[in-house]
Amino acid sequence: MDTRYIYRARRRARGVVRPATIAIVAVVAVLASAAWFLIVRPHQEMVDAETGAHPSTPVTTSQAPPPPANVSAMSVNQLLSEARKAVNQQRLLAPAGNNAFEFYLKVLEKQPGNQVASDALRETFPVGASLAEQAINQRDFNDAQRQIDLLAKADPANYTLTILRSKLDAQRKLLDREQQLASDKEKQQQLAAQKAADKAEADRQTAEAQQKALADQRAAQARQAQQQQVTEAARQQQATGGATATASNASPSSAATHGPVLLRNVSPRYPTNAMRSNQEGWVEVTFTITPDGNVDDVKVLDAEPRHVFDRAAVEAVTRWKYQPATQDGAPVSAQEKRRIVFKLN
């Protein structure tokens, strides 16, 4: 065979293969690009959202960053970026104004057909519902209501919202009942304390009244005993005076001389402290009976117990009144000594 023919045939075959190879490479490149933009990239975004949003994945978060300024002026891509950050930091529904749900909802306001935001809201809805339920269980009712409202904007027909609203209402009613019971219990405790205080005051007043009545009774008994003593002393003085009068009949020179005669006595006041402590005792005094029948210069000679009844005895004796002693018919001063007994019974 002619070698020149073979060479020309090979050159023609290589010329045909080269355009086919280029075309195949171009098709593969176009398919790879389409797969990246239509499959790989959306899938990676969803994986990122799932990784950051699932509650079972423990993620240590610091304090939430401040919300971006002028959210309304942000583009769709900026809002999606902020939403992904919020999901990764577990800011799905909170804090208000800086959470993934609000960013995704803002994306749908700007671009109602955005598939990334719609898919993210649909896939994270169960997690958001769980977070709202946690807020209800923690009795953060205001934030729970806000989170339920966000969930309702994402999927208003979802039956989970009915369950969450029912739980929120039940927890609110339960809290109201608990607060009412606590208030009633506090009022009952205050009423019981007031009744106890009133009873204690009434008991104190009754005890004071009984003590006063007993003290008055003992004082009356003491006055009666003192009166009896004074009466007995006066009787003795009168008997002494009668004997003197009889002697004067026999001896005219002694008729004008006699000792002092008690005309009026004053019972001593029983000291209050002694009465309360049930103390009894006596005081022996000496005093001068002046020519006009008054008592002067009263002095305590002895007492038992000392310094308890002294003052009361001196005050009482000072107020006594005598018929003065006489000598040859003329009034004269006289000295007298008496024992004043203080006895309760």
Side-chain angles (χ1 to χ4, degrees):
M1 179 177 293
D2 191 353
T3 57
R4 286 179 299 175
Y5 175 78
I6 295 172
Y7 178 73
R8 284 196 296 270
R10 289 180 177 175
R11 289 185 61 186
R12 284 196 298 269
R14 283 198 297 270
V16 173
V17 172
R18 189 174 300 159
T21 303
I22 294 173
I24 292 172
V25 170
V27 170
V28 170
V30 170
L31 291 176
S33 299
W36 168 257
F37 286 102
L38 297 179
I39 299 175
V40 176
R41 184 177 178 182
H43 178 72
Q44 184 64 39
E45 291 177 352
M46 293 181 184
V47 169
D48 292 341
E50 283 291 332
T51 303
H54 200 281
S56 63
T57 304
V59 178
T60 303
T61 59
S62 58
Q63 185 176 1
N70 196 8
V71 176
S72 300
M74 295 174 66
S75 66
V76 170
N77 289 333
Q78 289 174 331
L79 289 170
L80 288 174
S81 176
E82 289 294 332
R84 284 192 294 272
K85 291 179 183 178
V87 169
N88 291 332
Q89 296 176 4
Q90 290 188 332
R91 290 182 285 112
L92 199 61
L93 292 172
N98 192 15
N99 59 77
F101 258 65
E102 292 190 37
F103 291 134
Y104 283 133
L105 290 172
K106 201 69 178 179
V107 169
L108 293 178
E109 288 181 10
K110 290 179 176 289
Q111 194 178 90
N114 189 282
Q115 190 64 34
V116 174
S118 299
D119 292 343
L121 289 174
R122 183 182 66 257
E123 294 175 2
T124 57
F125 188 94
V127 180
S130 176
L131 295 175
E133 186 176 6
Q134 291 178 11
I136 294 172
N137 294 334
Q138 294 170 358
R139 295 189 170 181
D140 189 359
F141 297 144
N142 292 333
D143 199 55
Q145 184 64 62
R146 182 188 63 80
Q147 293 181 18
I148 292 174
D149 293 340
L150 280 179
L151 293 171
K153 291 179 181 179
D155 190 359
N158 197 304
Y159 182 71
T160 306
L161 297 173
T162 303
I163 299 175
L164 291 175
R165 291 185 180 115
S166 298
K167 289 184 177 180
L168 178 59
D169 184 61
Q171 285 291 336
R172 279 175 170 166
K173 291 180 179 178
L174 178 60
L175 179 60
D176 291 341
R177 286 197 299 270
E178 291 176 353
Q179 291 176 344
Q180 184 62 41
L181 290 174
S183 177
D184 293 343
K185 184 177 180 180
E186 183 179 0
K187 290 179 180 178
Q188 291 176 358
Q189 291 176 347
Q190 291 177 351
L191 182 61
Q194 185 62 40
K195 287 182 178 179
D198 293 343
K199 184 177 183 302
E201 179 63 19
D203 292 343
R204 184 187 66 80
Q205 293 179 356
T206 301
E208 288 182 354
Q210 291 175 349
Q211 291 178 357
K212 185 177 182 302
L214 181 59
D216 292 342
Q217 181 182 2
R218 289 176 176 175
Q221 292 174 353
R223 286 194 297 270
Q224 184 179 2
Q226 291 295 327
Q227 184 64 36
Q228 290 175 354
Q229 291 178 1
V230 172
T231 302
E232 180 64 22
R235 187 184 64 78
Q236 292 176 359
Q237 288 288 341
Q238 289 175 357
T240 304
T244 304
T246 303
S248 66
N249 290 332
S251 176
S253 61
S254 63
T257 301
H258 63 80
V261 178
L262 182 63
L263 299 178
R264 184 190 67 189
N265 72 296
V266 177
S267 299
R269 179 184 59 83
Y270 211 100
T272 304
N273 292 335
M275 187 180 301
R276 288 180 178 174
S277 59
N278 294 326
Q279 280 187 303
E280 296 179 345
W282 52 266
V283 179
E284 191 172 89
V285 297
T286 181
F287 52 91
T288 301
I289 301 171
T290 63
D292 57 2
N294 294 324
V295 175
D296 192 15
D297 193 24
V298 181
K299 297 179 180 178
V300 176
L301 296 178
D302 195 7
E304 180 64 35
R306 298 185 63 83
H307 307 302
V308 175
F309 302 101
D310 297 16
R311 183 176 178 181
V314 171
E315 289 178 352
V317 172
T318 302
R319 297 167 61 189
W320 287 2
K321 185 68 175 177
Y322 279 84
Q323 178 183 340
T326 60
Q327 186 173 5
D328 298 332
V332 293
S333 297
Q335 291 292 323
E336 190 79 7
K337 183 172 69 172
R338 289 290 184 90
R339 172 173 287 195
I340 311 302
V341 179
F342 291 81
K343 189 173 180 65
L344 290 174
N345 295 324

